[in-house]
Amino acid sequence: MTSSEPPPLVALRGRQRIAPFALVRVGDTAAAAEAALAGAVPMGGGVDLVDRMKFGERIERLMPLSGLALGGVEATEGGLRIGATTTYAALAESAEAARLAPAFARLVGGVANPRIRMKGTVGGSVMSQKPNFDVWPALMALGADLVFADGDGEARLPAAALAPDERRLLLAVEVPAGADARFAFDRSLRPIVSVFAGREAATGALRLAVGCAHQRPLLLRLAAGETDVAAAAAAALPPPKSDGLASSTYRRRMVGVLAARLARILPGPDAAS
Amino acid sequence: MTLTVSFTINGAPVSTAVHPETVLADVIRDEFQLVGCKVGCDQAVCGACTVLVDRIPMAACSTFAFEAEGRDIVTIEGLARPDGTLSAVQRAFLDVQGFQCGFCTGGLILLVTALLERDPDPDRATITDWLGSAVCRCTGYLAIIEAVETAARLNREVAA
Amino acid sequence: MSLLLPSNRIHPALPSHPEPPQQGGHAKVTGAARYAFDAALPGMLHAKVLRSPHPHARIRGIDTAKAAALPGVVAIVTGADARALALPTYGFTIQDQPVIAIDKVRHVGEAVVAVAARDERTALAALALVDVDYDPLPALPDPAAALAPGAPLLFEEPQPGFALPVGAGSTSRKEPAPNVLYEYTYTRGGVDAALDRADHVFTDSFAFSAINHYHLEPHVNVARFEDGRLELWSSNQDPFMLRADLSRIFGMPDTDIRVHTPLIGGGFGGKSYCKMEPLVALIAQKARRPVRLALTLDESILTLTKHAAELTLTTAVGADGRLLARRADIVLDGGAYCDASVMVALKTGFRIAGAYHWDALDVRSRVVRTTKVPAGSFRGFGGTQASYASECQMDMIAHRLGIDPYDLRVMNFLGPDEPFAPGDSAIDSDLKGGLDEVCTRLGYRAPKKAGHGFGLAVGIKDGGGTGNHAGAIVKVSQSGRITVLAATAEIGQGAGTTLCSIAADVLGLDAADARYGAIDTDVTPLNNGTHVSCGTVVTGSAVAEAAASVREEILAFAAEQLQCAPADLALEGWAVRRNGALHPLEPMVRGYYGGQGFAFTAYGHVKVPYDDGAPLRSQNLFWMPCWTGAEVSVDRETGRVTVHRLVVGSDAGRIISRRACEGQVAGAAIQAYGQAMFESLRYTPALQPENATPWTYRVAQAADLPEHFEVFVTEHMRGPGPGGLKGIGEAGMLSIAAAIGNAIEDATGVRVNAMPFSPEAVLAALDAADPA
Ligand SMILES: Cc1cc2nc3c(=O)[nH]c(=O)nc-3n(C[C@H](O)[C@H](O)[C@H](O)COP(=O)(O)OP(=O)(O)OC[C@H]3O[C@@H](n4cnc5c(N)ncnc54)[C@H](O)[C@@H]3O)c2cc1C
Ligand code: FES
Ligand code: FES
């Protein structure tokens, strides 16, 4: 058995299974960015990370991000910039977010529970790329950018372009100005499926991010003027998973139903459809 | 590898050597014998292990001991006054029997303490949202909701 | 000793009782409460268990050499060690479950290798070094597969044990067919003739799902072998049953086994009957050191579930709606091992009659072995499965006949004082009264909101167990303070509070000063276990008897001191009154016994007699009703059900603590509600548990509660316990799912007969009714 592959210890998940690791302490963001590229694993709130380690996942070097100047929510020219280590709670309570991205703030203020929201970070939520977490698909639907440390500067990536093996340090996410007014979500069928929708200002196209239904959340785009959103969304969706909660067929159909409902409430050229 | 962490626990400053992978719940239970901190799910779900870290409720089963560095920790044993007087939240849980087996109770009381520090008069929706930080398999939550409302009232009566 | 019989009278109403002080409540809110989870001994080792990844496999070999060489590892236990035991298996009346897997595994999660080491971390590291060579065998995913001709056998040979004896009209058979663990039947009247004659005959099938107990304190045990004695600190709720099992398994005299039962962090049946306790003892024996085994919640989920079941009911009804006869075929999925399956089969079969009058019944209830997590006791077992099927069919019948479901029930209810079955005790609740209360609270007669539906259901189960008995000791110290010793474990139901209140009532002393003693099989009087809501009635009656004896003793003592007849004296607080003069007892006791004082001590013991004329071989002590009403609406595009109102009531006979009674009903109801709406233990097609982690195994949280949820507890004053008391702990579980299912049908016209009522299942039913 190789050391990277956790032994099949059935049901023996737990804190005593967290493998020893080295703690990497860094003084500033630049050092953190460098360490991340060198293989240190960043820890935001650690909610997801600790959970994975309790299943036996080995982390050799762990780098807490607390103490770095990576938090904070601020208005920028482009819109709203949310530092990677901003907790769900801090974001939900932020005056800037309430002003510039109230719907997104409401989403973030309602996921999980207050205990998790005071620990889990926006960056950790996105970077975990877990199918059931809400922030990343919400950012996709908002047309937001992920801002990574890159050399001495920053690199931007549309949220939907995040690669599964991204190793760079996430510095912040940026929600474009005005996007929030054309954003809505439906989590009522979680954990079977959740849908986040945003209308592109320029084109009127509908961005639909789908959570819970695949290995990773994913983004669909329906052209403006689509008359049958339900059918189009269901047809465009890659095969969703089947499990004991729901079949693939049901998930596909529900993506259509929820997408159509969201399309109806989003302002836009084809709001009436 | 071990490191030394220093923090205060129920008001007392302490230093202790831990491994990086040690979680706070084990330090609290094994090192400080504060076994009112229970471990139920060991997955940040049930809240039985909840402690206050700088007055923020945290799952001690899923928080590393090193994260406690320099912070102020309160466990269920540290909530009553030294003379034994119960806090309003403890009093309320006792009065309305907001527990059955009691395994979730310490964590819940700390959680509700944090809630009422932030919102002294929470509405039902807020209470329900906060109680989402815990699982109680025994009570069906009715008595717990009543305990929260009672504690809020007791606090107001003291303040008045 | 006295015989405890079902009550056949209405007790006089008593003055309303103030809430008694909660035994141990202060400790629970201050963190001072100590559970089995907190038990620790000097020099204690920690054990961890390697579990089967296969649903069914032969074990070709186990290589523990590398694990044994790991520093800190003290003992390793495998099936080879179990084989050397006097009896290597356990189970209630059929002992088919090995203490640790011997040659074969029969479900994912079965214990295969146990390691004791200096700490859990080392034990886990050792387990990772163990090599088990499995030869996978075909899995048996469900009873249908296990019953199919030529299906692989879970057991090649008959297993030790016997078929539980039963009474009039019943039969009981152990392992009657391949892969069938047990079969119970009950027959009375001529069902065939009734079916032929009846105006209407309806056959419907229902599927009931498997859920886990999810008690927040996972199973935990500390064991020590010392000086030829085995001592155990256990989260098991049945100390004496455990002692008897351990005695058989280790071939030791029962008096050499000592079980301590600290506070238990929830159980709901999951901690009753023998489980991993013999394994922990075996590890301790081999390690020659005390050993603690605390399971993860994940492991607890793979230890026991409630029984999934398929129930097919063929019910004959007269044109006027009178129920005439019922044939029931019940197939319970027992999982890999017996555990308490025999009891569950018997109780499901018995309870399928529901709260109604019948001319004829013909019931067959079987437990089939499959390669899944063993199923066993879960709050109200048998009653939940039976009530679900029976109460759903009641509504289906009502709709088919165009009768209001309320009227159909009321027309067929067993009246108070009517026996549940010939030879059995009479119903001791006013069934109609309770249902009327639900209707009032629900607004059943008020106009419904558009799209909303109402559902009613009435569950009933026997309570108090079959032929149970219990002993209790009541002591009163020189200062007039009570100590109650009894083996009903404190598991959240408030056993100590109730039992102390009963003693204090009899003695006229202050319940606040009473203490419920720690449970230790060396000193605590024996009872059958913390089961079937029998704590208040059976153990409570023993306590009342003991308290009455102590009272006699106290009065006799005082009479001697005052040179009068005991009949001249009345106990009043901690003093006796004679001719108007009050004589404090404390100085009297100290004067006679000296400074150390004294404890007046008496033993009480009650036994429910066997009675071959009753179907279960003992008349049931009392009946536990559950009246439920639900209001729902359904999202027709997604199938999502919203429960707007849920009203649940039961009858405590008499209430000692209203809060405790309501808490029991609310807690049980929300467990059942979770099961109805979303909770279940699911398996992949390859029979791997799909959601056996605390996070993915979703249980109800506060936000899941119905928009409006209320419970009520009535006092019909007809119970057999002190003052008309009966048990209530399991009642709230019984009819929740049926009421919600019935409300869904009322709202949509479609019936969903498998649980949980997931959005997809509901939508599929809507689609089927209206193929677009
Ligand atoms: C009971 C419970 C309920 C929950 N319910 C919800 C829910 O409803 N909706 C929801 O969205 N979430 C939910 N969560 C998940 C929770 O929100 C996430 O676990 C959390 O947001 C992750 O954030 P974190 O900061 O703790 O991440 P961490 O665990 O710190 O990190 C997660 C991953 O991201 C990486 N990472 C972290 N920060 C950075 C960075 N700046 N740059 C690069 N990589 C980084 C880490 O290396 C790690 O791989 C729930 C969790 C629990 C325990
Ligand atoms: S034990 Fe930590 S949240 Fe359950
Ligand atoms: S009281 Fe038992 S889990 Fe809450």
Side-chain angles (χ1 to χ4, degrees), chain A residues 100-138:
Chain A
L100 294 171
F104 181 52
R106 190 162 47 79
L107 164 72
V108 168
V111 302
N113 59 60
R115 177 169 52 71
I116 297 292
R117 296 201 294 267
M118 287 190 252
K119 193 135 201 288
T121 65
V122 168
S125 189
V126 171
M127 296 306 289
S128 70
Q129 308 197 24
K130 285 281 167 70
N132 289 22
F133 295 179
D134 299 286
V135 173
W136 185 32

Side-chain angles (χ1 to χ4, degrees), chain B residues 103-123:
Chain B
F103 206 74
C104 67
T105 310
L108 262 172
I109 287 175
L110 291 163
L111 177 77
V112 172
T113 302
L115 160 61
L116 297 181
E117 282 172 4
R118 282 164 182 74
D119 183 349
D121 191 15
D123 57 18

Side-chain angles (χ1 to χ4, degrees), chain A residues 11 13 18 247 250 253 261, chain C residues 121 296 298 637-638 760 767:
Chain A
R13 185 198 52 78
I18 302 177
S247 69
Y250 179 78
R253 180 167 159 190
R261 287 181 178 179
Chain C
R121 209 166 250 286
T296 62
D298 313 49
E637 277 185 322
T638 64
E760 181 167 11
D767 283 352

Side-chain angles (χ1 to χ4, degrees), chain B residues 42-133:
Chain B
D42 202 354
Q43 204 178 19
V45 177
C46 76
C49 66
T50 299
V51 296
L52 299 182
V53 178
D54 288 345
R55 307 311 283 180
I56 293 172
M58 280 193 198
C61 73
S62 297
T63 302
F64 287 120
F66 70 74
E67 296 179 69
E69 178 62 40
R71 302 177 83 171
D72 171 47
I73 295 174
V74 180
T75 71
I76 184 65
E77 291 89 346
L79 221 49
R81 281 205 232 121
D83 70 354
T85 310
L86 299 181
S87 76
V89 182
Q90 288 174 306
R91 182 84 257 155
F93 269 78
L94 192 57
D95 284 353
V96 310
Q97 294 183 25
F99 53 84
Q100 288 176 23
C101 81
F103 206 74
C104 67
T105 310
L108 262 172
I109 287 175
L110 291 163
L111 177 77
V112 172
T113 302
L115 160 61
L116 297 181
E117 282 172 4
R118 282 164 182 74
D119 183 349
D121 191 15
D123 57 18
R124 267 298 164 98
T126 307
I127 294 173
T128 317
D129 182 35
W130 273 72
L131 292 183
S133 316

Side-chain angles (χ1 to χ4, degrees), chain A residues 7 9-13 15-20 51 55 133 188-192 243-247 250 253-254 257-258 261, chain C residues 48-53 108-109 120-121 124 127-128 296 298-299 302 635 637-638 640 682 690 693-695 698 759-760 763 767:
Chain A
L9 298 181
V10 173
L12 295 178
R13 185 198 52 78
R15 60 203 187 285
Q16 308 300 346
R17 279 198 69 195
I18 302 177
D51 187 43
F55 280 96
F133 295 179
S188 64
L189 288 179
R190 256 179 65 91
I192 295 169
D243 56 20
L245 272 178
S247 69
Y250 179 78
R253 180 167 159 190
M254 288 311 107
V257 169
L258 301 187
R261 287 181 178 179
Chain C
K48 280 281 151 194
V49 178
L50 190 69
R51 295 177 181 277
S52 168
V108 171
E120 288 194 347
R121 209 166 250 286
L124 285 166
L127 291 180
T296 62
D298 313 49
E299 289 177 283
L302 297 184
D635 181 332
E637 277 185 322
T638 64
R640 186 163 166 265
R682 307 186 300 263
E690 184 183 278
T693 66
W695 197 358
R698 179 174 166 214
E760 181 167 11
L763 192 64
D767 283 352

